[in-house]
Structures are given as structure tokens and as C-alpha cells.
Amino acid sequence: MAAEVQTVNNISLVSKEGDSFEVSEDVAQMSELVKSLMEDNDTEEETAEIPLRNVKATVLQKVIEFCQHHKEEPMTEIEKPLKSQNMADVVQVWYANYVDVEQVVLFELILAANYMDIKPLLDLTCATVASMIKGKTPEEIRTTFNISNDFSPEEEAQVREE
């Protein structure tokens, strides 16, 4: 009798638009959401399909890229409070480059990491936003994130006094 060969199962992650991305089970299980859906859907199919209706295909691709890299080179723990505004001083260069994206993409990654429950990705993306805020005045923060000031001058003066 031949010895049993351990096979690596693939999981198909399906984006909001219906695009399928095949990844290894260990990469997919970085997401606590996917892990629990896999446990609930314990079938003997060769490739399980997991729908992620809240994640766009372009964002899901970036999330998978993160998870695959994290499996090969785990990210160093992010020290709090952040020691620098430069993410390359906080995490390895690959991770710093990974989050060097447009603000819209960064916020979509935060939402995806939160929805899919991928703690290292959520930590990285939130730390990136924190680094964008670090050392800035409220006015600079409003400018950076395109936030309108809804305080009247009197209300703002009152808040500054407190």
C-alpha cells in the first residue's frame, strides 16, 4: 500500500465583483473570517469557494499579496506609540512599501482587513494612518484627510480652551 501524500488544499476567494483568486489554505487562513467559513463549510471539495462580498477584486489582490508575503517573512511587531512617521523605521521595507499607496486604497485595505479579520494587516494599515497624523496640527490633519472643519470660530476657540 502506498503512503498517503499530504496535499495542500487551495481555497478560492471570490471578490465583490465575482472574480476568483485561488490561494493556499494556510494563506487563506490568515483571515479569521475565512478560517471560520472554512470550518462551517467542511466539504471534501478540492477547492472550496469563499465569497467575500465586501471586498473589491483590486483590494482582495493586495490583501492576498500581503498574506502570501507575511507567510514567508512575518512582519515585526509594531511598537506603540509609533517611534517614527516613516513606516520603514517601524516595519520591514517590504511592508513599508506595501502601504505606500493612495489614501483611498489604504482605507479600502483597512476596511478589508477589518472585515476579513486579518490582524497583522489591520495593525499595519492603521499604524500607517497613525504615522500620517503623528506630529501634525488639527488643521494639517484636516488637509491631509480632506476633512472640512464644521466648528464655528467660537466653538473652535472654546474647544482650544478646554
Side-chain angles (χ1 to χ4, degrees):
M1 218 168 150
E4 281 189 45
V5 178
Q6 185 73 21
T7 58
V8 175
N9 290 337
N10 282 336
I11 306 298
S12 185
L13 303 177
V14 183
S15 72
K16 179 182 196 171
E17 299 87 347
D19 295 344
S20 253
F21 299 90
E22 204 165 295
V23 296
S24 64
E25 196 172 306
D26 65 327
V27 167
Q29 287 189 345
M30 277 193 65
S31 164
E32 292 298 324
L33 172 69
V34 171
K35 188 189 254 181
S36 69
L37 289 172
M38 286 170 58
E39 288 167 2
D40 294 347
N41 187 22
D42 196 18
T43 62
E44 293 301 315
E45 293 176 40
E46 216 165 275
T47 303
E49 212 172 78
I50 307 286
L52 299 167
R53 292 182 176 83
N54 293 357
V55 185
K56 291 181 191 172
T58 53
V59 176
L60 184 54
Q61 214 166 358
K62 290 274 300 167
V63 169
I64 292 168
E65 178 188 359
F66 173 89
C67 292
Q68 288 171 331
H69 187 83
H70 192 277
K71 282 291 175 189
E72 295 168 21
E73 179 195 8
M75 186 174 70
T76 56
E77 187 74 24
I78 297 173
E79 290 180 36
K80 296 168 193 92
L82 291 179
K83 59 184 175 185
S84 171
Q85 285 178 292
N86 182 357
M87 286 305 291
D89 296 337
V90 179
V91 292
Q92 297 101 309
V93 174
W94 187 92
Y95 292 101
N97 290 336
Y98 175 84
V99 288
D100 188 16
V101 293
E102 291 179 27
Q103 223 177 77
V104 172
V105 175
L106 181 62
F107 288 119
E108 286 178 344
L109 283 169
I110 289 172
L111 292 173
N114 187 48
Y115 170 68
M116 293 176 69
D117 197 0
I118 305 172
K119 189 179 180 332
L121 179 56
L122 189 59
D123 288 348
L124 176 64
T125 51
C126 289
T128 304
V129 172
S131 75
M132 295 164 77
I133 293 171
K134 189 175 177 67
K136 290 191 173 162
T137 65
E139 197 50 50
E140 290 170 327
I141 293 169
R142 284 190 199 100
T143 303
T144 300
F145 296 106
N146 199 21
I147 301 169
S148 60
N149 184 359
D150 54 358
F151 283 127
S152 70
E154 296 81 26
E155 289 172 325
E156 196 166 335
Q158 184 182 359
V159 169
R160 288 184 192 277
E161 286 175 23
E162 295 171 6

